[in-house]
Amino acid sequence: MKNIIEQIRSTLKASTDENTVQTSQRFFKEKIVSYGVKVPTVDKIGKEIYKQIENEPKSVIFSLCEQLWQSGYLEESFVACNWSYNVRKQYEPADFEVFERWINQYVNNWASCDTLCNHTVGEFIEKYPEYLSKLKAFAHSDNRWVKRAAAVSLIVPARKGKFLSDIFEIADILLLDQDDLVQKGYGWMLKAASQANQQEVFDYVMRHKAVMPRTALRYAIEKMPEEMRKRAMER
């Protein structure tokens, strides 16, 4: 298995794109560590090397993901996220502790947060909705990425019309948060929910627009008809 990690790293290093090296940092306020590899290339590398381990037990896959997370490299976190999602059919309740540890210990930027939570954690929550209470606990965290995780883990279920009351509960907890990346996270969650529950989300926004940060509000109404957007943006 050590060879797999070495293979990932050497292939990523060999795939460095100078333009990506120069431009990747500008998408992040926080300092990131990156090889400078384009995301589609990272996905392709991870997918190709995964073929060598696809029949390994989930515990082995998760162990490899852990090692990738520990490196701190953005691209390795993406590979880890994709691999943990690949074994989604094998998820069991105890896996939440693994995902929670990754968020708490390793996630340090919005891209790693969203890649892990949109897919791996979101899929887990759909399978085990009793863990929604854990996301609500996340929303009370002092860690910006844990708070963002509370919201962005529900993006995919929200688009399907699921968990609307829970989405509003999480939005309530995060409503006045001053961190723009948290505001964007729960605004995005509301926007996703509006695809299946437009009127309910609009009503929520209208009830809270006097205090909702404008960043979150703009995200929440982005997919709504122009007339709704105008009403929501009125002071």
Side-chain angles (χ1 to χ4, degrees), residues 215-230:
T215 296
L217 192 152
R218 288 192 187 96
Y219 267 71
I221 64 175
E222 188 178 345
K223 295 288 186 181
M224 293 183 185
E226 184 178 359
E227 184 57 36
M228 282 183 162
R229 295 200 307 272
K230 283 183 179 178

Side-chain angles (χ1 to χ4, degrees), residues 36-47:
V37 182
K38 293 180 179 178
V39 174
T41 304
V42 176
D43 292 344
K44 184 177 180 181
I45 290 168
K47 191 172 184 179

Side-chain angles (χ1 to χ4, degrees), residues 195-209:
Q195 293 180 230
N197 294 286
Q198 184 180 89
Q199 189 62 50
E200 291 88 343
V201 173
F202 178 72
D203 291 343
Y204 179 89
V205 169
M206 293 300 287
R207 285 197 304 274
H208 297 287
K209 72 172 189 171

Side-chain angles (χ1 to χ4, degrees), residues 107-156:
V107 169
N108 59 11
N109 63 82
W110 63 262
S112 297
C113 181
D114 296 358
T115 307
L116 175 63
C117 294
N118 285 178
H119 305 292
T120 295
V121 182
E123 184 75 21
F124 178 91
I125 293 295
E126 285 200 61
K127 192 170 184 177
Y128 300 106
E130 61 269 28
Y131 279 80
L132 281 160
S133 61
K134 295 285 191 178
L135 294 188
K136 293 167 191 174
F138 280 10
H140 289 287
S141 174
D142 292 329
N143 182 322
R144 74 191 313 190
W145 307 119
V146 177
K147 286 189 286 188
R148 185 177 171 100
V152 301
S153 293
L154 293 179
I155 297 298
V156 175

